[in-house]
Amino acid sequence: MLANIKGLVDRLELSQAKAMMPLFEAISNAIDAIEEHQNGFSNHLVRIRLVATQDLAHQGGDDVLVFDGFDITDDGVGFDDANLASFQEAHTLSKVKVGGKGVGRFTFLKVFSSVQIRSVFQRLGKTFLREFEFSIANELKGADDVKSVTESLGTTLSMRSMASKYKGGWPHDPAIIAERILAHFLIRFAARSCPPMVLESPMHASIDLHALFQSTVLSHIEERFFDVLGHTFALQAYRHRDGRSRHDLYLCANGREVTINKLRDLLPELPERLLDGDQEPYTLIILVTGEYLDDHANQERTRIFFQSDDEPDLDETLVSRQELNRSIVETLRPLLSDDLKSTNEDKRLQIEKFVEQAPEYRALTHPRYKELIEQRIQPGLPTEKLDEALLHVKRDVEDSVRKEVRHVAALFETETFEQYQERFQVVAEQANELGKAQLAAYVAHRRTILDLVSQSLKKVRIDNKYPFEKILHKMIFPMGVTSKDIFFEQQNLWVIDERLCYHTLLTSDKKLNGVPGLKRTSGKEPDIFAFFYDTPIGVAESDNLPSGGIIIIEFKRPGRDDYDKDPADQIIQRFREISNGNVDDIDGRQINPTNLRFTGYLIADLKPSLHKQVYGRYHKTADSEGYFFNLAAGNGCIEIISYDKLVKDAERRNRILFDKLGLHKY
């Protein structure tokens, strides 16, 4: 051997996932040896015999096979003098024309410690036998010793004693090993450039690999060519009938598989299985070939060199894997339109049904987004995953529309009015659809909040008491925060009055002197303990009157019936404290408190003790479900609203919206 074998073997890159590479290399050598006869493949045979370990588990009757090696027998030209000379070279060039890197045989020693070769060949018309060992320690011991025999030409290559590191990379089922061989040499099988091949293993029937190919892999759908940076690639798509396989993408070099990837990573719209016209399942096998792949496979033929994503300018002659993947997807999708037709229809029906409960995605059902939905959404997703996937698509569409709006606006001064109008009409229509979807989501949110409030009022605790009013308070506005601390969608003051949504500042369960403009008040926190869980909200309106307006809202516990005084007095006390203090506006300018307007809302159930406290002082509302009275100073009023009236009025105000979305409950 003309190089240090141990050094070569140590430098080889071979992961456990590539543990079957010695088998593939040995089969490839057998095929090449048969091809040298130049009389076709049909009259020849490659026989593969798997050898199982004879460990204690197997001797005890365990049916699970753990393979320790294999024998490969072919009837090729054998290890004649020329082939032996090539084998003895560390980096032989004898197979360059068929893509050989000259290092495949060193994977034998990477995985197995024992490699034996028995070969019959011809020399000057006479037949000879050559038997030798290939090893790190002895290199090619006995390779030069030959003897005359009368046997047929051919070679048997035996490998034993698999390294424990690689045992996990070998399947225990011979059928799966047969599939792996088929996948690795798929191009050869498809091109009929492969001799008959049989796989044998203990306790299992022989597997005819050509028959397996015919029964599991159909003719490729169609071949397509595409270019990436001036390099031409070929793509072939095959339907695979074996139910255990997945959709796979193979990058191949010199007629052999180099890398394998999940096709669904590139095409998420693929279901786990496709169905043919007879409703039989199949998966896809995609082969990509090209001179670039042939020229840029590493010497072990385990990976292909692409341009680095981190340093794209490092070698501009290399193709980007990302760009290759994009071209594969663009080439493949048109070929799969018929395969995905039923899948896309099922997906469409699933999304339309889901949108009934999630109207914020309704715009995505527009035909203009049909292709986007088909490509971005996996079929058969559970509800939570579908919601998440549609949310990502919706955000991308919204971003795209926003960018287009800015772009169209910039064209106003450079294009004719007719051109601008045409572009504007398209983008405005898209924006309008998204706006409708957002409005639908907000209306559905309102329906949900009202349902939650109604259910909370109906729920009686174990002690036969209604829930604390703080629960209802939190539904309408979070406690202990101001309107600067939360998003608009987190407050639901519209349940009480739509006008309350538009305020300059709102505080919930906060000390008055913590409110801008009220710093010089007494600093008392609304008395939340003296009157049973009282949790007030303070709202400052910006433009009610020149001096502004103050609204105080108090919640009383549902079902409470122990009032010994007018509960609205607490609101009046807050009004008095604000009137007596030095009140500033949000710009820090002092406000004349005599011009402030005050509005108070008391939310409570109208129980007998409450009726008693307000009798003679308040006016009943027209529907008799509440009370109101004007402050003596003439600068405001207080309204008592029952929880039932609160919900009913909110539903009445929103009914037209609920009806339009089919959310109204009769």
Side-chain angles (χ1 to χ4, degrees):
M1 187 67 67
L2 300 182
N4 179 275
I5 293 182
K6 186 178 187 306
L8 288 170
V9 172
D10 289 343
R11 288 195 298 271
L12 281 181
E13 298 178 8
L14 200 69
S15 65
Q16 187 187 74
K18 295 289 186 178
M20 295 180 64
M21 188 59 70
L23 174 64
F24 300 149
E25 290 291 342
I27 292 174
S28 180
N29 290 341
I31 295 173
D32 292 342
I34 291 174
E35 195 168 21
E36 284 191 50
H37 278 300
Q38 297 183 349
N39 61 351
F41 289 111
S42 59
N43 295 323
H44 296 275
L45 176 68
V46 175
R47 188 179 300 276
I48 308 160
R49 186 175 70 88
L50 301 175
V51 178
T53 59
Q54 296 298 316
D55 56 16
L56 294 178
H58 185 262
Q59 293 173 11
D62 192 340
D63 291 337
V64 177
L65 293 176
V66 178
F67 295 107
D68 185 55
F70 57 86
D71 297 331
I72 291 185
T73 302
D74 67 73
D75 51 1
V77 298
F79 268 78
D80 56 23
D81 294 338
N83 286 335
L84 178 62
S86 174
F87 196 87
Q88 287 176 322
E89 291 183 33
H91 293 275
T92 178
L93 300 178
S94 64
K95 294 188 178 182
V96 168
K97 64 180 180 180
V98 293
K101 302 293 184 178
V103 296
R105 61 199 182 282
F106 296 115
T107 64
F108 302 170
L109 303 180
K110 190 77 172 180
V111 179
F112 297 93
S113 61
S114 174
V115 180
Q116 302 290 330
I117 299 171
R118 185 183 190 278
S119 184
V120 178
F121 65 96
Q122 281 190 338
R123 178 193 291 165
L124 300 176
K126 294 182 180 180
T127 305
F128 295 92
L129 171 65
R130 174 178 278 131
E131 293 183 278
F132 60 95
E133 175 189 4
F134 178 42
S135 67
I136 292 176
N138 299 315
E139 296 191 352
L140 300 176
K141 183 179 179 180
D144 294 327
D145 299 332
V146 300
K147 62 179 180 180
S148 178
V149 294
T150 58
E151 300 177 33
S152 299
L153 301 184
T155 300
T156 296
L157 177 63
S158 301
M159 300 189 200
R160 299 288 189 277
S161 301
M162 187 188 305
S164 57
K165 171 185 175 181
Y166 293 102
K167 287 186 181 294
W170 278 71
H172 301 302
D173 187 350
I176 298 179
I177 293 177
E179 294 167 15
R180 299 273 179 89
I181 296 172
L182 197 64
H184 189 84
F185 295 99
L186 189 57
I187 296 179
R188 278 189 174 272
F189 278 94
R192 294 179 174 82
S193 60
C194 188
M197 198 175 298
V198 175
L199 178 68
E200 301 173 346
S201 60
M203 301 183 297
H204 287 78
S206 298
I207 300 175
D208 184 330
L209 292 176
H210 273 276
L212 180 65
F213 172 80
Q214 293 296 330
S215 64
T216 60
V217 182
L218 306 180
S219 298
H220 64 263
I221 299 172
E222 198 168 349
E223 187 172 51
R224 286 285 188 271
F225 296 91
F226 61 91
D227 291 336
V228 180
L229 296 179
H231 300 279
T232 299
F233 296 85
L235 180 149
Q236 292 177 315
Y238 294 83
R239 294 186 179 96
H240 199 289
R241 286 178 174 172
D242 193 323
R244 286 172 296 189
S245 64
R246 68 186 186 189
H247 303 292
D248 284 326
L249 169 66
Y250 292 90
L251 298 186
C252 305
N254 306 112
R256 307 175 200 175
E257 167 252 324
V258 177
T259 66
I260 177 174
N261 298 96
K262 295 178 181 179
L263 187 60
R264 294 184 80 191
D265 289 345
L266 297 185
L267 295 169
E269 66 264 36
L270 283 174
E272 290 187 3
R273 299 285 186 274
L274 292 161
L275 298 177
D276 61 19
D278 298 324
Q279 298 302 298
E280 292 294 327
Y282 66 92
T283 53
L284 296 169
I285 296 177
I286 307 302
L287 304 181
V288 178
T289 58
E291 288 187 6
Y292 178 89
L293 303 180
D294 295 341
D295 296 339
H296 291 83
N298 66 342
Q299 65 175 5
E300 299 86 7
R301 207 177 287 106
T302 57
R303 66 188 179 96
I304 295 168
F305 294 103
F306 292 101
Q307 186 181 92
S308 170
D309 292 331
D310 298 328
E311 299 178 89
D313 298 328
L314 190 62
D315 189 343
E316 296 182 357
T317 64
L318 295 178
V319 168
S320 162
R321 179 63 190 267
Q322 185 178 9
E323 187 62 34
L324 177 63
N325 286 344
R326 185 182 300 112
S327 297
I328 290 173
V329 168
E330 292 175 353
T331 304
L332 186 56
R333 274 190 171 127
L335 296 181
L336 300 180
S337 58
D338 290 339
D339 298 71
L340 293 173
K341 188 174 182 180
S342 61
T343 297
N344 287 332
E345 178 63 20
D346 293 341
K347 187 193 305 180
R348 182 187 65 79
L349 294 174
Q350 180 192 13
I351 292 175
E352 287 183 353
K353 185 176 181 180
F354 177 73
V355 164
E356 293 176 4
Q357 305 301 320
E360 62 267 33
Y361 301 121
R362 185 164 293 165
L364 297 180
T365 61
H366 191 282
R368 70 162 51 90
Y369 303 117
K370 176 177 179 291
E371 185 174 311
L372 183 63
I373 290 295
E374 289 179 352
Q375 295 177 3
R376 292 279 300 275
I377 305 298
Q378 289 186 359
L381 289 175
T383 300
E384 295 80 6
K385 293 291 186 181
L386 180 59
D387 188 13
E388 181 180 349
L390 288 173
L391 178 60
H392 286 299
V393 174
K394 177 173 174 285
R395 286 174 176 171
D396 288 346
V397 170
E398 289 172 345
D399 288 344
S400 176
V401 171
R402 278 193 289 267
K403 291 177 183 177
E404 183 63 17
V405 167
R406 291 193 293 268
H407 178 64
V408 171
L411 296 177
F412 183 74
E413 296 181 359
T414 60
E415 293 189 353
T416 66
F417 178 76
E418 289 75 15
Q419 292 173 321
Y420 171 80
Q421 186 180 38
E422 183 179 349
R423 295 283 296 275
F424 176 80
Q425 184 174 353
V426 173
V427 72
E429 183 180 348
Q430 290 179 283
N432 187 39
E433 290 168 358
L434 294 174
K436 289 178 181 178
Q438 291 172 334
L439 176 60
Y442 182 64
V443 172
H445 163 77
R446 287 195 169 198
R447 174 75 272 173
T448 301
I449 292 298
L450 288 179
D451 288 345
L452 288 173
V453 172
S454 297
Q455 291 301 317
S456 296
L457 293 172
K458 294 176 183 177
K459 186 176 181 181
V460 178
R461 289 153 33 97
I462 297 175
D463 57 5
N464 289 323
K465 294 181 179 180
Y466 286 92
F468 296 124
E469 78 282 3
K470 64 175 64 176
I471 296 176
L472 299 165
H473 180 165
K474 290 177 181 178
M475 290 182 187
I476 294 177
F477 197 92
M479 298 175 66
V481 297
T482 74
S483 54
K484 293 183 178 180
D485 302 320
I486 64 171
F487 292 107
F488 176 80
E489 292 79 5
Q490 291 177 269
Q491 62 94 1
N492 297 294
L493 290 167
W494 54 267
V495 174
I496 300 171
D497 190 327
E498 297 284 353
R499 294 170 296 178
L500 299 183
C501 298
Y502 303 97
H503 50 262
T504 303
L505 181 69
L506 184 149
T507 69
S508 173
D509 202 25
K510 287 275 193 179
K511 292 182 179 180
L512 288 179
N513 66 354
V515 179
L518 301 179
K519 293 184 177 63
R520 284 169 286 190
T521 59
S522 66
K524 291 183 178 179
E525 186 175 349
D527 206 352
I528 65 173
F529 297 110
F531 297 100
F532 301 95
Y533 316 105
D534 298 329
T535 52
I537 297 176
V539 182
E541 292 183 334
S542 60
D543 55 2
N544 189 7
L545 286 175
S547 295
I550 299 294
I551 296 175
I552 298 291
I553 303 169
E554 286 278 0
F555 291 93
K556 297 302 178 183
R557 184 172 180 175
R560 177 180 172 181
D561 191 17
D562 60 353
Y563 298 103
D564 56 4
K565 62 165 56 176
D566 182 358
D569 284 348
Q570 187 176 10
I571 297 177
I572 296 175
Q573 290 173 14
R574 302 288 79 76
F575 288 162
R576 185 179 298 114
E577 183 178 358
I578 293 172
S579 295
N580 293 337
N582 295 318
V583 181
D584 298 335
D585 62 19
I586 60 173
D587 297 320
R589 297 184 60 80
Q590 188 171 353
I591 296 176
N592 184 353
T594 59
N595 292 329
L596 286 174
R597 297 291 300 175
F598 297 96
T599 304
Y601 291 101
L602 181 75
I603 314 298
D605 278 337
L606 303 184
K607 293 293 186 178
S609 63
L610 181 58
H611 286 298
K612 181 179 178 181
Q613 293 300 327
V614 302
Y615 181 77
R617 300 177 59 195
Y618 288 74
H619 301 286
K620 276 191 174 184
T621 57
D623 55 11
S624 297
E625 293 185 357
Y627 291 93
F628 71 93
F629 88 99
N630 296 321
L631 298 178
N635 59 349
C637 65
I638 292 179
E639 183 175 356
I640 299 176
I641 304 173
S642 71
Y643 281 107
D644 289 337
K645 175 178 173 61
L646 184 74
V647 175
K648 286 180 182 177
D649 286 352
E651 288 188 333
R652 290 180 186 126
R653 292 194 302 271
N654 288 277
R655 178 166 181 168
I656 184 62
L657 301 176
F658 295 159
D659 284 345
K660 292 297 183 181
L661 281 181
L663 298 175
H664 187 72
K665 296 186 177 181
Y666 296 93

mmCIF file with all atom_site columns, all heavy atoms in Angstrom, residues 380-394:
data_model
loop_
_atom_site.group_PDB
_atom_site.id
_atom_site.type_symbol
_atom_site.label_atom_id
_atom_site.label_alt_id
_atom_site.label_comp_id
_atom_site.label_asym_id
_atom_site.label_entity_id
_atom_site.label_seq_id
_atom_site.pdbx_PDB_ins_code
_atom_site.Cartn_x
_atom_site.Cartn_y
_atom_site.Cartn_z
_atom_site.occupancy
_atom_site.B_iso_or_equiv
_atom_site.pdbx_formal_charge
_atom_site.auth_seq_id
_atom_site.auth_comp_id
_atom_site.auth_asym_id
_atom_site.auth_atom_id
_atom_site.pdbx_PDB_model_num
ATOM 1   N N   . GLY A 1 380 ? -54.051 18.508 8.164  1.00 0.00 ? 380 GLY A N   1
ATOM 2   C CA  . GLY A 1 380 ? -54.387 17.706 9.333  1.00 0.00 ? 380 GLY A CA  1
ATOM 3   C C   . GLY A 1 380 ? -53.872 18.227 10.653 1.00 0.00 ? 380 GLY A C   1
ATOM 4   O O   . GLY A 1 380 ? -53.737 17.462 11.612 1.00 0.00 ? 380 GLY A O   1
ATOM 5   N N   . LEU A 1 381 ? -53.595 19.529 10.753 1.00 0.00 ? 381 LEU A N   1
ATOM 6   C CA  . LEU A 1 381 ? -53.086 20.076 12.003 1.00 0.00 ? 381 LEU A CA  1
ATOM 7   C C   . LEU A 1 381 ? -54.180 20.100 13.074 1.00 0.00 ? 381 LEU A C   1
ATOM 8   O O   . LEU A 1 381 ? -55.343 20.387 12.769 1.00 0.00 ? 381 LEU A O   1
ATOM 9   C CB  . LEU A 1 381 ? -52.574 21.504 11.798 1.00 0.00 ? 381 LEU A CB  1
ATOM 10  C CG  . LEU A 1 381 ? -51.277 21.685 10.994 1.00 0.00 ? 381 LEU A CG  1
ATOM 11  C CD1 . LEU A 1 381 ? -50.995 23.182 10.805 1.00 0.00 ? 381 LEU A CD1 1
ATOM 12  C CD2 . LEU A 1 381 ? -50.112 21.020 11.689 1.00 0.00 ? 381 LEU A CD2 1
ATOM 13  N N   . PRO A 1 382 ? -53.845 19.826 14.330 1.00 0.00 ? 382 PRO A N   1
ATOM 14  C CA  . PRO A 1 382 ? -54.822 20.022 15.405 1.00 0.00 ? 382 PRO A CA  1
ATOM 15  C C   . PRO A 1 382 ? -55.145 21.501 15.546 1.00 0.00 ? 382 PRO A C   1
ATOM 16  O O   . PRO A 1 382 ? -54.418 22.362 15.044 1.00 0.00 ? 382 PRO A O   1
ATOM 17  C CB  . PRO A 1 382 ? -54.104 19.472 16.645 1.00 0.00 ? 382 PRO A CB  1
ATOM 18  C CG  . PRO A 1 382 ? -52.652 19.541 16.315 1.00 0.00 ? 382 PRO A CG  1
ATOM 19  C CD  . PRO A 1 382 ? -52.555 19.334 14.834 1.00 0.00 ? 382 PRO A CD  1
ATOM 20  N N   . THR A 1 383 ? -56.243 21.803 16.249 1.00 0.00 ? 383 THR A N   1
ATOM 21  C CA  . THR A 1 383 ? -56.739 23.175 16.331 1.00 0.00 ? 383 THR A CA  1
ATOM 22  C C   . THR A 1 383 ? -55.680 24.148 16.806 1.00 0.00 ? 383 THR A C   1
ATOM 23  O O   . THR A 1 383 ? -55.502 25.233 16.223 1.00 0.00 ? 383 THR A O   1
ATOM 24  C CB  . THR A 1 383 ? -57.955 23.236 17.272 1.00 0.00 ? 383 THR A CB  1
ATOM 25  O OG1 . THR A 1 383 ? -58.979 22.375 16.758 1.00 0.00 ? 383 THR A OG1 1
ATOM 26  C CG2 . THR A 1 383 ? -58.498 24.653 17.363 1.00 0.00 ? 383 THR A CG2 1
ATOM 27  N N   . GLU A 1 384 ? -54.943 23.808 17.871 1.00 0.00 ? 384 GLU A N   1
ATOM 28  C CA  . GLU A 1 384 ? -53.954 24.729 18.419 1.00 0.00 ? 384 GLU A CA  1
ATOM 29  C C   . GLU A 1 384 ? -52.851 25.011 17.400 1.00 0.00 ? 384 GLU A C   1
ATOM 30  O O   . GLU A 1 384 ? -52.422 26.159 17.226 1.00 0.00 ? 384 GLU A O   1
ATOM 31  C CB  . GLU A 1 384 ? -53.341 24.156 19.706 1.00 0.00 ? 384 GLU A CB  1
ATOM 32  C CG  . GLU A 1 384 ? -54.323 23.999 20.856 1.00 0.00 ? 384 GLU A CG  1
ATOM 33  C CD  . GLU A 1 384 ? -55.180 22.748 20.718 1.00 0.00 ? 384 GLU A CD  1
ATOM 34  O OE1 . GLU A 1 384 ? -54.927 21.946 19.781 1.00 0.00 ? 384 GLU A OE1 1
ATOM 35  O OE2 . GLU A 1 384 ? -56.110 22.571 21.529 1.00 0.00 ? 384 GLU A OE2 1
ATOM 36  N N   . LYS A 1 385 ? -52.365 23.971 16.731 1.00 0.00 ? 385 LYS A N   1
ATOM 37  C CA  . LYS A 1 385 ? -51.311 24.139 15.746 1.00 0.00 ? 385 LYS A CA  1
ATOM 38  C C   . LYS A 1 385 ? -51.802 24.914 14.526 1.00 0.00 ? 385 LYS A C   1
ATOM 39  O O   . LYS A 1 385 ? -51.070 25.707 13.936 1.00 0.00 ? 385 LYS A O   1
ATOM 40  C CB  . LYS A 1 385 ? -50.771 22.771 15.320 1.00 0.00 ? 385 LYS A CB  1
ATOM 41  C CG  . LYS A 1 385 ? -50.032 22.010 16.410 1.00 0.00 ? 385 LYS A CG  1
ATOM 42  C CD  . LYS A 1 385 ? -48.720 22.686 16.750 1.00 0.00 ? 385 LYS A CD  1
ATOM 43  C CE  . LYS A 1 385 ? -47.927 21.851 17.730 1.00 0.00 ? 385 LYS A CE  1
ATOM 44  N NZ  . LYS A 1 385 ? -46.633 22.504 18.108 1.00 0.00 ? 385 LYS A NZ  1
ATOM 45  N N   . LEU A 1 386 ? -53.059 24.664 14.126 1.00 0.00 ? 386 LEU A N   1
ATOM 46  C CA  . LEU A 1 386 ? -53.626 25.388 12.980 1.00 0.00 ? 386 LEU A CA  1
ATOM 47  C C   . LEU A 1 386 ? -53.739 26.871 13.307 1.00 0.00 ? 386 LEU A C   1
ATOM 48  O O   . LEU A 1 386 ? -53.418 27.735 12.467 1.00 0.00 ? 386 LEU A O   1
ATOM 49  C CB  . LEU A 1 386 ? -54.990 24.812 12.623 1.00 0.00 ? 386 LEU A CB  1
ATOM 50  C CG  . LEU A 1 386 ? -55.711 25.464 11.437 1.00 0.00 ? 386 LEU A CG  1
ATOM 51  C CD1 . LEU A 1 386 ? -54.872 25.357 10.165 1.00 0.00 ? 386 LEU A CD1 1
ATOM 52  C CD2 . LEU A 1 386 ? -57.080 24.821 11.223 1.00 0.00 ? 386 LEU A CD2 1
ATOM 53  N N   . ASP A 1 387 ? -54.185 27.195 14.509 1.00 0.00 ? 387 ASP A N   1
ATOM 54  C CA  . ASP A 1 387 ? -54.282 28.585 14.945 1.00 0.00 ? 387 ASP A CA  1
ATOM 55  C C   . ASP A 1 387 ? -52.915 29.259 14.876 1.00 0.00 ? 387 ASP A C   1
ATOM 56  O O   . ASP A 1 387 ? -52.768 30.375 14.353 1.00 0.00 ? 387 ASP A O   1
ATOM 57  C CB  . ASP A 1 387 ? -54.820 28.627 16.376 1.00 0.00 ? 387 ASP A CB  1
ATOM 58  C CG  . ASP A 1 387 ? -55.139 30.046 16.833 1.00 0.00 ? 387 ASP A CG  1
ATOM 59  O OD1 . ASP A 1 387 ? -55.183 30.955 15.983 1.00 0.00 ? 387 ASP A OD1 1
ATOM 60  O OD2 . ASP A 1 387 ? -55.336 30.245 18.039 1.00 0.00 ? 387 ASP A OD2 1
ATOM 61  N N   . GLU A 1 388 ? -51.893 28.573 15.358 1.00 0.00 ? 388 GLU A N   1
ATOM 62  C CA  . GLU A 1 388 ? -50.539 29.128 15.360 1.00 0.00 ? 388 GLU A CA  1
ATOM 63  C C   . GLU A 1 388 ? -50.016 29.334 13.938 1.00 0.00 ? 388 GLU A C   1
ATOM 64  O O   . GLU A 1 388 ? -49.422 30.367 13.619 1.00 0.00 ? 388 GLU A O   1
ATOM 65  C CB  . GLU A 1 388 ? -49.613 28.191 16.132 1.00 0.00 ? 388 GLU A CB  1
ATOM 66  C CG  . GLU A 1 388 ? -48.181 28.671 16.234 1.00 0.00 ? 388 GLU A CG  1
ATOM 67  C CD  . GLU A 1 388 ? -47.302 27.706 17.005 1.00 0.00 ? 388 GLU A CD  1
ATOM 68  O OE1 . GLU A 1 388 ? -47.841 26.771 17.637 1.00 0.00 ? 388 GLU A OE1 1
ATOM 69  O OE2 . GLU A 1 388 ? -46.071 27.877 16.974 1.00 0.00 ? 388 GLU A OE2 1
ATOM 70  N N   . ALA A 1 389 ? -50.259 28.340 13.070 1.00 0.00 ? 389 ALA A N   1
ATOM 71  C CA  . ALA A 1 389 ? -49.779 28.430 11.690 1.00 0.00 ? 389 ALA A CA  1
ATOM 72  C C   . ALA A 1 389 ? -50.474 29.568 10.934 1.00 0.00 ? 389 ALA A C   1
ATOM 73  O O   . ALA A 1 389 ? -49.834 30.333 10.200 1.00 0.00 ? 389 ALA A O   1
ATOM 74  C CB  . ALA A 1 389 ? -49.999 27.100 10.974 1.00 0.00 ? 389 ALA A CB  1
ATOM 75  N N   . LEU A 1 390 ? -51.795 29.695 11.110 1.00 0.00 ? 390 LEU A N   1
ATOM 76  C CA  . LEU A 1 390 ? -52.531 30.767 10.437 1.00 0.00 ? 390 LEU A CA  1
ATOM 77  C C   . LEU A 1 390 ? -52.109 32.135 10.956 1.00 0.00 ? 390 LEU A C   1
ATOM 78  O O   . LEU A 1 390 ? -52.068 33.113 10.196 1.00 0.00 ? 390 LEU A O   1
ATOM 79  C CB  . LEU A 1 390 ? -54.040 30.571 10.644 1.00 0.00 ? 390 LEU A CB  1
ATOM 80  C CG  . LEU A 1 390 ? -54.675 29.410 9.867  1.00 0.00 ? 390 LEU A CG  1
ATOM 81  C CD1 . LEU A 1 390 ? -56.122 29.223 10.285 1.00 0.00 ? 390 LEU A CD1 1
ATOM 82  C CD2 . LEU A 1 390 ? -54.591 29.650 8.366  1.00 0.00 ? 390 LEU A CD2 1
ATOM 83  N N   . LEU A 1 391 ? -51.775 32.212 12.243 1.00 0.00 ? 391 LEU A N   1
ATOM 84  C CA  . LEU A 1 391 ? -51.327 33.481 12.807 1.00 0.00 ? 391 LEU A CA  1
ATOM 85  C C   . LEU A 1 391 ? -50.038 33.940 12.131 1.00 0.00 ? 391 LEU A C   1
ATOM 86  O O   . LEU A 1 391 ? -49.882 35.119 11.793 1.00 0.00 ? 391 LEU A O   1
ATOM 87  C CB  . LEU A 1 391 ? -51.110 33.331 14.313 1.00 0.00 ? 391 LEU A CB  1
ATOM 88  C CG  . LEU A 1 391 ? -50.579 34.586 15.039 1.00 0.00 ? 391 LEU A CG  1
ATOM 89  C CD1 . LEU A 1 391 ? -51.557 35.746 14.885 1.00 0.00 ? 391 LEU A CD1 1
ATOM 90  C CD2 . LEU A 1 391 ? -50.346 34.277 16.514 1.00 0.00 ? 391 LEU A CD2 1
ATOM 91  N N   . HIS A 1 392 ? -49.105 33.012 11.907 1.00 0.00 ? 392 HIS A N   1
ATOM 92  C CA  . HIS A 1 392 ? -47.849 33.364 11.233 1.00 0.00 ? 392 HIS A CA  1
ATOM 93  C C   . HIS A 1 392 ? -48.116 33.854 9.807  1.00 0.00 ? 392 HIS A C   1
ATOM 94  O O   . HIS A 1 392 ? -47.518 34.840 9.353  1.00 0.00 ? 392 HIS A O   1
ATOM 95  C CB  . HIS A 1 392 ? -46.910 32.162 11.203 1.00 0.00 ? 392 HIS A CB  1
ATOM 96  C CG  . HIS A 1 392 ? -46.279 31.855 12.529 1.00 0.00 ? 392 HIS A CG  1
ATOM 97  N ND1 . HIS A 1 392 ? -45.476 32.745 13.193 1.00 0.00 ? 392 HIS A ND1 1
ATOM 98  C CD2 . HIS A 1 392 ? -46.346 30.755 13.320 1.00 0.00 ? 392 HIS A CD2 1
ATOM 99  C CE1 . HIS A 1 392 ? -45.056 32.222 14.329 1.00 0.00 ? 392 HIS A CE1 1
ATOM 100 N NE2 . HIS A 1 392 ? -45.583 31.008 14.432 1.00 0.00 ? 392 HIS A NE2 1
ATOM 101 N N   . VAL A 1 393 ? -49.009 33.164 9.096  1.00 0.00 ? 393 VAL A N   1
ATOM 102 C CA  . VAL A 1 393 ? -49.340 33.577 7.727  1.00 0.00 ? 393 VAL A CA  1
ATOM 103 C C   . VAL A 1 393 ? -49.999 34.954 7.733  1.00 0.00 ? 393 VAL A C   1
ATOM 104 O O   . VAL A 1 393 ? -49.674 35.825 6.912  1.00 0.00 ? 393 VAL A O   1
ATOM 105 C CB  . VAL A 1 393 ? -50.253 32.533 7.059  1.00 0.00 ? 393 VAL A CB  1
ATOM 106 C CG1 . VAL A 1 393 ? -50.711 33.030 5.687  1.00 0.00 ? 393 VAL A CG1 1
ATOM 107 C CG2 . VAL A 1 393 ? -49.533 31.199 6.916  1.00 0.00 ? 393 VAL A CG2 1
ATOM 108 N N   . LYS A 1 394 ? -50.931 35.146 8.658  1.00 0.00 ? 394 LYS A N   1
ATOM 109 C CA  . LYS A 1 394 ? -51.647 36.430 8.749  1.00 0.00 ? 394 LYS A CA  1
ATOM 110 C C   . LYS A 1 394 ? -50.674 37.580 8.996  1.00 0.00 ? 394 LYS A C   1
ATOM 111 O O   . LYS A 1 394 ? -50.779 38.649 8.380  1.00 0.00 ? 394 LYS A O   1
ATOM 112 C CB  . LYS A 1 394 ? -52.682 36.358 9.868  1.00 0.00 ? 394 LYS A CB  1
ATOM 113 C CG  . LYS A 1 394 ? -53.462 37.648 10.118 1.00 0.00 ? 394 LYS A CG  1
ATOM 114 C CD  . LYS A 1 394 ? -54.566 37.396 11.131 1.00 0.00 ? 394 LYS A CD  1
ATOM 115 C CE  . LYS A 1 394 ? -55.279 38.687 11.521 1.00 0.00 ? 394 LYS A CE  1
ATOM 116 N NZ  . LYS A 1 394 ? -54.467 39.516 12.425 1.00 0.00 ? 394 LYS A NZ  1
#
